Amino acid sequence: MSWFKRTDKGIQTPTEMKREAPDGLWYQCPTCKKAMHTREHKLNAFTCINCNYHEKIGSEAYFQILFDDGEYNELDANLHSGDPLKFIDTKSYVDRVRATEKKSGLKDAARTAYGKMSEIDIVITCMDFSFIGGSMGSVVGEKIARGIAYALEHKLPFLMISKSGGARMMEAGFSLMQMAKTSARLAQLAEAKLPYISLLTDPTTGGVTASYAMLGDFNISEPEALIGFAGPRVIKETIGKELPKGFQTAEFVLEHGFLDFIVDRKDLKDKLASLLRMIQ
Ligand SMILES: [Zn+2]
């Protein structure tokens, strides 16, 4: 009899006590439910190796994917929100920002960095959905505006990666002003004949869609991203009609002429680089 043979009968481990794998080692795709190693998932630019579902990722992951050797210089890393309206909903805005900063490790819903992408110098601002739903408040607008100013000063192309639920309610009118501010800056970039590429990722909605996200020389998107202005329920109630199938997906928006192309995240860096080489 081998020494490891279980001699006692009836020993049961309840399911909730079973440890199958350490947390974070496996990723399960929410669409096809297939499990894969997190390392494999990361090597695949956080897309599912089975069904190609594009997992929502934040600025750090995009910067690692796009900048050569993951090296970049962040601009205005310490800008953070004021509370101009002394806004309180279920909790005060100041407390909400503080709690989100702690939880996400971010200062606000966007980060700007410059560096080399396939040896091309570029400025990238990328939004973070984990910070109050990627909402556009005064810090997001200011970081984009300053990112464009940096691109103008150094004559560099600008890439915006949007991922947002829209304007930040807690800053009300101050949020809406960011639409005009960023649009004006982008007009200066266009006058200087510097390229602006806008990448819309899942989801891009509200005031973000209605301003900088749709103002690119090229407006591009990841597959199956939700892209829209108002939510489908509001539109349905307004027009009093059933909405077409696939409404507000990147594929639908492309078919109706609002996007230039859809790019798989695994090809993003190469496509952006060849696009910039073509137009510069
Ligand atoms: Zn999948």
Side-chain angles (χ1 to χ4, degrees):
M1 191 176 99
S2 55
W3 63 271
F4 54 79
K5 191 170 177 185
R6 179 176 279 176
T7 51
D8 294 333
K9 293 232 185 307
I11 298 175
Q12 296 283 324
T13 309
T15 311
E16 64 270 22
M17 297 284 286
K18 283 181 186 163
R19 297 282 308 264
E20 282 166 350
D23 272 354
L25 201 58
W26 293 94
Y27 166 81
Q28 192 186 25
C29 172
T31 308
C32 72
K33 310 289 176 208
K34 194 179 156 73
M36 62 210 79
H37 208 282
T38 47
R39 197 173 348 110
E40 201 180 9
H41 188 232
K42 191 179 170 190
L43 281 172
N44 225 28
F46 303 94
T47 62
C48 175
I49 53 166
N50 185 45
C51 72
N52 205 26
Y53 169 74
H54 282 50
E55 183 58 83
K56 292 183 179 66
I57 55 172
S59 57
E60 185 56 33
Y62 277 107
F63 289 166
Q64 291 301 324
I65 290 168
L66 293 175
F67 285 118
D68 297 344
D69 306 316
E71 281 174 22
Y72 60 87
N73 300 287
E74 189 171 351
L75 293 169
D76 311 305
N78 288 317
L79 271 188
H80 78 116
S81 236
D83 182 18
L85 304 175
K86 311 271 173 263
F87 192 90
I88 300 170
D89 49 68
T90 48
K91 56 178 156 181
S92 77
Y93 181 42
V94 175
D95 288 346
R96 190 178 297 280
V97 167
R98 206 170 293 144
T100 312
E101 279 179 352
K102 212 170 158 193
K103 200 174 150 201
S104 64
L106 297 161
K107 291 270 193 282
D108 212 287
R111 286 168 73 216
T112 299
Y114 66 90
K116 286 192 185 297
M117 181 186 72
S118 298
E119 295 176 5
I120 301 169
D121 286 296
I122 189 166
V123 184
I124 306 177
T125 300
C126 180
M127 301 191 75
D128 278 291
F129 200 78
S130 60
F131 200 98
I132 319 185
S135 51
M136 172 191 57
S138 41
V139 171
V140 168
E142 186 63 20
K143 282 203 184 185
I144 296 170
R146 290 189 191 189
I148 299 166
Y150 188 90
L152 273 164
E153 191 189 335
H154 298 269
K155 301 197 170 13
L156 301 175
F158 181 67
L159 168 68
M160 179 73 220
I161 304 175
S162 296
K163 183 183 288 291
S164 174
R168 188 171 298 171
M169 288 188 302
M170 304 80 161
E171 292 184 29
F174 290 91
S175 295
L176 299 181
M177 285 177 208
Q178 308 311 313
M179 298 169 69
K181 182 166 84 184
T182 53
S183 303
R185 278 284 190 204
L186 285 170
Q188 291 178 326
L189 199 68
E191 271 167 32
K193 301 203 183 320
L194 292 166
Y196 169 42
I197 301 173
S198 172
L199 171 68
L200 293 84
T201 71
D202 187 42
T204 299
T205 60
V208 170
T209 311
S211 59
Y212 53 82
M214 281 293 184
L215 291 174
D217 296 315
F218 290 90
N219 296 324
I220 64 176
S221 168
E222 289 186 344
E224 291 177 28
L226 173 85
I227 297 168
F229 177 62
R233 189 180 48 83
V234 175
I235 299 173
K236 204 172 142 183
E237 281 168 12
T238 309
I239 64 171
K241 274 187 189 163
E242 283 301 312
L243 299 168
K245 200 165 168 274
F247 179 70
Q248 292 186 330
T249 60
E251 289 71 13
F252 188 92
V253 176
L254 174 75
E255 206 185 310
H256 290 78
F258 284 91
L259 288 176
D260 294 293
F261 58 87
I262 293 172
V263 59
D264 190 301
R265 196 185 289 149
K266 295 184 284 299
D267 306 325
L268 180 63
K269 184 173 177 174
D270 286 348
K271 281 233 172 142
L272 288 172
S274 51
L275 183 62
L276 287 172
R277 285 206 178 88
M278 230 184 311
I279 58 177
Q280 274 186 311

